[in-house]
Amino acid sequence: DAGVTQSPTHLIKTRGQQVTLRCSPKSGHDTVSWYQQALGQGPQFIFQYYEEEERQRGNFPDRFSGHQFPNYSSELNVNALLLGDSALYLCASSLGAFGGSANEQFFGPGTRLTVL
Amino acid sequence: AQSVTQPDIHITVSEGASLELRCNYSYGATPYLFWYVQSPGQGLQLLLKYFSGDTLVQGIKGFEAEFKRSQSSFNLRKPSVHWSDAAEYFCAVGDWFSGGYNKLIFGAGTRLAVHP
């Protein structure tokens, strides 16, 4: 049973460019959450997708957008990259329709984005 | 606002010594609490979680944590540390939004070094 997978592993971009990160959830999971982890900090919630819609959003600008596909995989898009967007981007999957332990989130290895 | 505080940025222990990592939370309702571990270049792995019931929670790799509501704490412990436990440890609280679906609010992490 494959866990959460993310691609690419590493990415280098320059300021002003756009980037797309991809995530495939754990088998059987229907909900994908994205987190940004800056160096030396804990992960911060960006947004969560369920049934192909953004269900909740953290304190991130509109430059950060996402998408969820019918197979539950997800993309994170960041436009007009800034130096401060350099971080590890983590994807987490879970079962979204129930509360309690069913909502446990399983994390992928992350995509390391460097903005020059 | 909900928050998680990990007072210790770095902790160094000798192999075989006991370990306690501190975590304090601020949350208006009964919290769902988690401890994750992150090794270099890896995603987050769940060590243990507290949803309800017994306040002493057992996890993987010999870790345990105790929920103390009166102190708003959820400290992680291990009786005897192994060199392979060197990693970054994150405490998190599950924040429930409408519909009962959670996002995770993380502390800044504690980096554990183990001396032979």
Side-chain angles (χ1 to χ4, degrees), chain A residues 51-111:
Chain A
E51 292 187 339
E52 301 181 49
E53 290 191 358
E54 182 182 294
R55 187 160 64 182
Q56 180 75 346
R57 188 178 185 91
N59 188 26
F60 280 81
D62 292 344
R63 298 187 297 107
F64 289 77
S65 63
H67 188 77
Q68 186 178 34
F69 299 94
N71 67 352
Y72 307 122
S73 67
S74 177
E75 289 181 349
L76 164 66
N77 301 292
V78 186
N79 294 323
L81 284 166
L82 304 174
L83 295 179
D85 295 331
S86 295
L88 180 68
Y89 289 85
L90 295 164
C91 169
S93 75
S94 58
L95 278 171
F98 307 98
S101 60
N103 276 164
E104 178 179 329
Q105 298 192 11
F106 292 79
F107 284 82
T111 294

Side-chain angles (χ1 to χ4, degrees), chain A residues 37 48 96 101 103-105, chain B residues 38 46 49 51 96 101-102:
Chain A
Q37 184 179 15
Q48 184 179 87
S101 60
N103 276 164
E104 178 179 329
Q105 298 192 11
Chain B
Q38 185 177 39
L46 180 67
K49 58 184 182 258
F51 282 178
W96 299 90
Y101 313 115
N102 72 14

Side-chain angles (χ1 to χ4, degrees), chain B residues 10-111:
Chain B
H10 295 280
I11 283 185
T12 300
V13 300
S14 298
E15 191 168 18
S18 63
L19 172 70
E20 183 169 27
L21 302 183
R22 296 183 290 164
C23 172
N24 293 99
Y25 67 89
S26 173
Y27 194 73
T30 300
Y32 284 17
L33 295 162
F34 306 81
W35 274 99
Y36 285 86
V37 61
Q38 185 177 39
S39 299
Q42 303 290 318
L44 297 171
Q45 181 183 23
L46 180 67
L47 287 175
L48 47 78
K49 58 184 182 258
Y50 171 77
F51 282 178
S52 63
D54 193 348
T55 57
L56 186 61
V57 180
Q58 302 297 320
I60 63 171
K61 303 184 179 185
F63 286 93
E64 67 177 25
E66 186 171 12
F67 170 60
K68 294 185 177 179
R69 184 186 301 275
S70 62
Q71 298 177 20
S72 298
S73 70
F74 189 56
N75 295 348
L76 182 71
R77 301 193 295 248
K78 186 170 185 178
S80 178
V81 172
H82 187 263
W83 64 267
S84 60
D85 293 324
E88 184 118 29
Y89 291 80
F90 292 96
C91 181
V93 62
D95 186 22
W96 299 90
F97 43 89
S98 62
Y101 313 115
N102 72 14
K103 65 180 181 184
L104 294 171
I105 299 171
F106 286 88
T110 297
R111 182 167 295 278

